Amino acid sequence: MAADLTPPVARPAGQTLLDLSVPGRRASSLPACDVPLAPLPAGPLVRQGLRLPEVSEVEVVRYFTRLSTLNYSVETGMYPLGSCTMKYNPKRHEDGARLPGFAWAHPLAPEAASQGVLQVLHELQGYLAEITGMTGVSLAPMAGAHGEFAGILIMRAYHQSRGDTARTKVLVPDSAHGTNPATAAMAGYQVQAIRSDAKGNCDLDDLRNALGPNVAGMMLTQPNTLGLFDTNILEIAAELHRHGAVLYGDGANMNALLGRAKPGAMGFDVMHLNLHKTFSTPHGGGGPGAGPVCVAPHLLPFLPTPVITQDAGGYHLTAPEATIGPMGGFHGNFGVLLRAYAYIRTLGEAGLREVTDNAVLNANYLRSRLAGLYALKYDRPCMHEVVLAGTLQKAKGVNTLAIAKRLIDYGFHPPTIYFPLIVEEALMVEPTETESRENLDAFVAAMQAIAREVEESPEVVRSAPHFTPVGRLDEATAARKPYLRWRPSE
Ligand SMILES: *Cc1c(COP(=O)(O)O)cnc(C)c1O
């Protein structure tokens, strides 16, 4: 791939329909109207001087068709955004979720009229319990962070139920996703960071020093956000339990464990899953997710409502005896739950295991092909994602942000960058299992080309992207002061 700076689209970036306007041009050509014109209402109801675009039909069609191609998605190309598991989502799940019996089910319909819906939810609870090795599941939480919040409330309710009210701290590794400390803080806990050791595991000495009667629990991601399996997990669980603390599992990385390893067997007491990551629901635009919370036997009484149970009379919406209550309206994000159900049923146990095997294989393939060109802070086999670092390039004056932006020119969505925080110039690459060998090779070729450009023509990388309507956005301001409607330019 050569560094070609010629934009592939001749049309100027950022053009609006008004820019295309030509006085008198129309998007319709119909016979003269034979309906008498009614007089316009008087006064302020009629706005004068509206600048409406005057364009032909084909211009309107081309304009909106072009707009529709400006967003990148999994359906456009590889989307290796680490930690987000942007896998391809089979279309059959959409068909399943749109079956009229599901799509038209009303959440207030009586139980007797909702038995099919409740059966699906009950079976999904069972599958997720089996997959995670946990005992009970509530499908109520509507995102990963929401599931974390449910889990920490369960942790707190458990300690309170035992009259154990002196626990004020939650431990979180320094590699953790930002939602973990945020969740613990939102639930009223003090957060204490635990160091990672030289291998990228949780540092056991630091953990032992932090543990005491004031620790409510620990939030741990397995494999962690360095893409590494924490090989200290059994000791970590034992240490926490020795101190009466609860081990919370952030299950966002289950794509590395399906059918191969169960958090329940590792000593986790409570965990959440991200159905929109691991279990195949389109996400990334902020659209609906689901973060079921799964617990070991001693935490069953605290699960959020509803939990679906079955007896001789059928399926029921029930409230566990000491429930933390509802997490939102009704039964959770039913459409997302249906897609997960379809995914699990169509793949089966062997298929799910293959998902994990290929996800881990793909990440290690990228790791071995890019090692050397890009730095690797922890040089050991990874799980479903690999955290590279742009430190070699940074030393030559090109930072990781520029590498990420240059990848856009090569047709790839950038990986996650500058996270985890403990890896300088981090490039967190998660290819997922749904990319072919050819796609991985194309990504490697782009990363190689960029590394070469850093040596030979660093300015090309530093000023990327070159072909997008907008280049470097002020993302913080965009998130805090979003423009949610069209505004005429002055
Ligand atoms: C995505 C993610 C979360 C949060 O999940 P949301 O569904 O985005 O709220 C938490 N932890 C990790 C490790 C994640 O990757």
mmCIF file of all heavy atoms in Angstrom, residues 83 143-145 148 177 179-180 221 225 250 252 274 276-277, ligand 1:
data_model
loop_
_atom_site.group_PDB
_atom_site.id
_atom_site.type_symbol
_atom_site.label_atom_id
_atom_site.label_comp_id
_atom_site.label_asym_id
_atom_site.label_seq_id
_atom_site.Cartn_x
_atom_site.Cartn_y
_atom_site.Cartn_z
ATOM 1 N N SER A 83 -11.591 -4.344 23.617
ATOM 2 C CA SER A 83 -12.505 -4.390 24.756
ATOM 3 C C SER A 83 -13.970 -4.309 24.327
ATOM 4 O O SER A 83 -14.843 -4.634 25.098
ATOM 5 C CB SER A 83 -12.216 -3.282 25.789
ATOM 6 O OG SER A 83 -12.474 -3.780 27.083
ATOM 7 N N ALA A 143 -26.976 -2.790 30.363
ATOM 8 C CA ALA A 143 -25.663 -2.492 29.778
ATOM 9 C C ALA A 143 -24.630 -3.141 30.691
ATOM 10 O O ALA A 143 -24.972 -3.594 31.791
ATOM 11 C CB ALA A 143 -25.417 -0.997 29.703
ATOM 12 N N GLY A 144 -23.389 -3.165 30.228
ATOM 13 C CA GLY A 144 -22.339 -3.714 31.070
ATOM 14 C C GLY A 144 -22.214 -2.941 32.375
ATOM 15 O O GLY A 144 -22.235 -3.515 33.476
ATOM 16 N N ALA A 145 -22.131 -1.630 32.261
ATOM 17 C CA ALA A 145 -21.971 -0.801 33.456
ATOM 18 C C ALA A 145 -23.183 -0.937 34.379
ATOM 19 O O ALA A 145 -23.048 -0.910 35.606
ATOM 20 C CB ALA A 145 -21.769 0.655 33.049
ATOM 21 N N GLU A 148 -22.711 -4.089 36.222
ATOM 22 C CA GLU A 148 -21.739 -3.868 37.299
ATOM 23 C C GLU A 148 -22.425 -3.244 38.509
ATOM 24 O O GLU A 148 -22.201 -3.644 39.654
ATOM 25 C CB GLU A 148 -20.640 -2.893 36.846
ATOM 26 C CG GLU A 148 -19.677 -3.429 35.821
ATOM 27 C CD GLU A 148 -18.710 -2.330 35.350
ATOM 28 O OE1 GLU A 148 -18.317 -1.472 36.169
ATOM 29 O OE2 GLU A 148 -18.368 -2.332 34.151
ATOM 30 N N HIS A 177 -11.143 -1.336 33.359
ATOM 31 C CA HIS A 177 -12.004 -0.464 32.561
ATOM 32 C C HIS A 177 -12.564 0.615 33.490
ATOM 33 O O HIS A 177 -12.894 0.340 34.635
ATOM 34 C CB HIS A 177 -13.146 -1.324 32.006
ATOM 35 C CG HIS A 177 -13.967 -0.662 30.938
ATOM 36 N ND1 HIS A 177 -15.113 0.039 31.214
ATOM 37 C CD2 HIS A 177 -13.798 -0.616 29.598
ATOM 38 C CE1 HIS A 177 -15.633 0.494 30.070
ATOM 39 N NE2 HIS A 177 -14.860 0.106 29.083
ATOM 40 N N THR A 179 -15.340 1.943 33.880
ATOM 41 C CA THR A 179 -16.652 1.768 34.515
ATOM 42 C C THR A 179 -16.530 1.078 35.872
ATOM 43 O O THR A 179 -17.405 1.248 36.718
ATOM 44 C CB THR A 179 -17.600 0.937 33.627
ATOM 45 O OG1 THR A 179 -16.919 -0.251 33.218
ATOM 46 C CG2 THR A 179 -18.038 1.714 32.403
ATOM 47 N N ASN A 180 -15.455 0.296 36.102
ATOM 48 C CA ASN A 180 -15.348 -0.436 37.375
ATOM 49 C C ASN A 180 -15.204 0.515 38.563
ATOM 50 O O ASN A 180 -16.036 0.488 39.490
ATOM 51 C CB ASN A 180 -14.198 -1.450 37.355
ATOM 52 C CG ASN A 180 -14.435 -2.640 36.413
ATOM 53 O OD1 ASN A 180 -13.640 -3.556 36.333
ATOM 54 N ND2 ASN A 180 -15.537 -2.634 35.664
ATOM 55 N N THR A 221 -11.444 -8.208 36.058
ATOM 56 C CA THR A 221 -11.815 -8.604 34.698
ATOM 57 C C THR A 221 -10.929 -9.780 34.296
ATOM 58 O O THR A 221 -9.710 -9.708 34.454
ATOM 59 C CB THR A 221 -11.601 -7.428 33.725
ATOM 60 O OG1 THR A 221 -12.199 -6.258 34.277
ATOM 61 C CG2 THR A 221 -12.226 -7.714 32.372
ATOM 62 N N THR A 225 -7.938 -6.451 31.040
ATOM 63 C CA THR A 225 -8.004 -5.549 29.880
ATOM 64 C C THR A 225 -6.651 -5.403 29.188
ATOM 65 O O THR A 225 -6.545 -4.656 28.210
ATOM 66 C CB THR A 225 -8.541 -4.169 30.294
ATOM 67 O OG1 THR A 225 -7.743 -3.709 31.377
ATOM 68 C CG2 THR A 225 -9.977 -4.246 30.734
ATOM 69 N N ASP A 250 -15.934 -8.786 36.057
ATOM 70 C CA ASP A 250 -16.373 -8.017 34.891
ATOM 71 C C ASP A 250 -16.283 -8.973 33.708
ATOM 72 O O ASP A 250 -15.192 -9.342 33.267
ATOM 73 C CB ASP A 250 -15.463 -6.796 34.717
ATOM 74 C CG ASP A 250 -15.825 -5.968 33.481
ATOM 75 O OD1 ASP A 250 -16.328 -6.542 32.501
ATOM 76 O OD2 ASP A 250 -15.570 -4.748 33.512
ATOM 77 N N ALA A 252 -17.011 -8.668 30.559
ATOM 78 C CA ALA A 252 -16.996 -8.102 29.205
ATOM 79 C C ALA A 252 -16.075 -8.877 28.277
ATOM 80 O O ALA A 252 -16.201 -8.792 27.060
ATOM 81 C CB ALA A 252 -16.580 -6.631 29.246
ATOM 82 N N ASN A 274 -21.740 -8.926 28.932
ATOM 83 C CA ASN A 274 -22.178 -7.919 27.960
ATOM 84 C C ASN A 274 -22.742 -8.679 26.769
ATOM 85 O O ASN A 274 -21.995 -9.098 25.882
ATOM 86 C CB ASN A 274 -20.999 -7.046 27.505
ATOM 87 C CG ASN A 274 -20.407 -6.237 28.635
ATOM 88 O OD1 ASN A 274 -19.954 -6.799 29.628
ATOM 89 N ND2 ASN A 274 -20.413 -4.930 28.502
ATOM 90 N N HIS A 276 -24.314 -7.616 24.318
ATOM 91 C CA HIS A 276 -24.083 -6.872 23.074
ATOM 92 C C HIS A 276 -22.632 -7.001 22.612
ATOM 93 O O HIS A 276 -22.335 -6.633 21.496
ATOM 94 C CB HIS A 276 -24.483 -5.406 23.251
ATOM 95 C CG HIS A 276 -23.982 -4.800 24.528
ATOM 96 N ND1 HIS A 276 -24.452 -5.184 25.759
ATOM 97 C CD2 HIS A 276 -23.053 -3.868 24.774
ATOM 98 C CE1 HIS A 276 -23.833 -4.496 26.695
ATOM 99 N NE2 HIS A 276 -22.964 -3.693 26.134
ATOM 100 N N LYS A 277 -21.744 -7.502 23.430
ATOM 101 C CA LYS A 277 -20.386 -7.769 22.966
ATOM 102 C C LYS A 277 -20.255 -9.250 22.598
ATOM 103 O O LYS A 277 -20.150 -9.618 21.448
ATOM 104 C CB LYS A 277 -19.368 -7.407 24.048
ATOM 105 C CG LYS A 277 -19.314 -5.922 24.333
ATOM 106 C CD LYS A 277 -18.286 -5.583 25.396
ATOM 107 C CE LYS A 277 -18.279 -4.068 25.632
ATOM 108 N NZ LYS A 277 -17.466 -3.690 26.790
HETATM 109 C C1 LIG B 1 -17.455 -2.549 27.579
HETATM 110 C C2 LIG B 1 -16.897 -2.818 28.905
HETATM 111 C C3 LIG B 1 -17.587 -2.461 30.069
HETATM 112 C C4 LIG B 1 -18.863 -1.636 30.067
HETATM 113 O O1 LIG B 1 -19.891 -2.160 29.302
HETATM 114 P P1 LIG B 1 -21.018 -1.240 28.682
HETATM 115 O O2 LIG B 1 -21.993 -2.186 28.111
HETATM 116 O O3 LIG B 1 -20.345 -0.380 27.669
HETATM 117 O O4 LIG B 1 -21.594 -0.416 29.797
HETATM 118 C C5 LIG B 1 -17.026 -2.819 31.276
HETATM 119 N N1 LIG B 1 -15.851 -3.466 31.345
HETATM 120 C C6 LIG B 1 -15.150 -3.804 30.240
HETATM 121 C C7 LIG B 1 -13.852 -4.544 30.399
HETATM 122 C C8 LIG B 1 -15.638 -3.492 28.984
HETATM 123 O O5 LIG B 1 -14.952 -3.816 27.895
#
